[in-house]
Amino acid sequence: MAGVALKEAIAALPPPPNAAEAAGKPLRHNEIVGPVTYATFSALFGTQSVVFAKCMGELFSLWIVWLDSGKEEGSNSFTHWFTYFVIAAWLATAGIWLFRLNEALGKYNPLFIIPLLQSNFIFFAIVSGGIYFREFDAYEPLNWLGFWAGVLIMFYGLFLLSPEDMHDDEDDDGGGDDDDD
């Protein structure tokens, strides 16, 4: 009895986005939501690879200090498992970022997706760097105002770069110019 009710509840759910698109009925605003979510998710991997690269830099610095001190101060960072974890994680996240970057070029309009990917990457890299290096700790209200103004200008510029058909409302008749000549 419960199994039948569960099957009926699942059947009543709307189809997943890919099924709707395959049926020729894409979701409303799919032409903008699809690339934005794809780019945001992809950029998170790219940004994480930057964080792992920063961690590798710190570990390498510790190793240099250990070598310069005649192997008396600190310890050899290459004898710890964490160093190899960071290297593997960096390779994995950088590989995923590059794969998704390449895949995006085949899925979406390159004139829109490349700036979208890069602006998301830049934004998340700045935020992760601010957290990792504690740069935001010293921010005054004027610094925050400048930071958010820069972010808004960057994303507004991205909006201006988006293809024209993404700006049009539903009342567009599908044609080009509205010349009645």
Side-chain angles (χ1 to χ4, degrees), residues 10-177:
I10 291 173
L13 291 173
N18 291 342
E21 196 170 314
K25 301 177 211 166
L27 298 174
R28 188 170 186 218
H29 303 297
N30 189 47
E31 71 278 354
I32 190 77
V33 173
V36 168
T37 55
Y38 189 92
T40 302
F41 184 72
S42 300
L44 291 174
F45 284 100
T47 302
Q48 192 62 43
S49 72
V50 170
V51 172
F52 285 126
K54 291 174 183 178
C55 285
M56 285 191 316
E58 294 290 329
L59 291 168
F60 189 70
S61 295
L62 291 173
W63 182 67
I64 296 295
V65 167
W66 177 73
L67 288 177
D68 284 347
S69 69
K71 302 178 182 178
E72 294 175 9
E73 291 180 26
S75 64
N76 182 357
S77 58
F78 287 100
T79 60
H80 299 283
W81 65 269
F82 184 71
T83 303
Y84 298 100
F85 169 77
V86 170
I87 292 169
W90 172 72
L91 288 171
T93 54
I96 292 169
W97 164 241
L98 292 175
F99 173 79
R100 298 217 17 126
L101 183 67
N102 189 39
E103 193 176 60
L105 293 173
K107 287 185 173 207
Y108 303 107
N109 179 354
L111 296 175
F112 180 58
I113 196 69
I114 292 172
L116 183 60
L117 284 162
Q118 289 306 115
S119 62
N120 277 293
F121 177 79
I122 290 167
F123 174 71
F124 290 123
I126 290 169
V127 170
S128 66
I131 294 169
Y132 186 82
F133 290 111
R134 300 182 182 260
E135 295 168 344
F136 295 139
D137 291 351
Y139 265 31
E140 304 273 330
L142 188 60
N143 298 113
W144 283 111
L145 180 67
F147 174 76
W148 287 112
V151 167
L152 289 174
I153 289 169
M154 178 179 70
F155 283 111
Y156 179 69
L158 182 64
F159 170 75
L160 294 176
L161 284 174
S162 65
E164 284 298 319
D165 59 345
M166 292 183 183
H167 296 190
D168 294 341
D169 291 328
E170 295 291 325
D171 59 3
D172 188 15
D173 63 338
D177 294 334

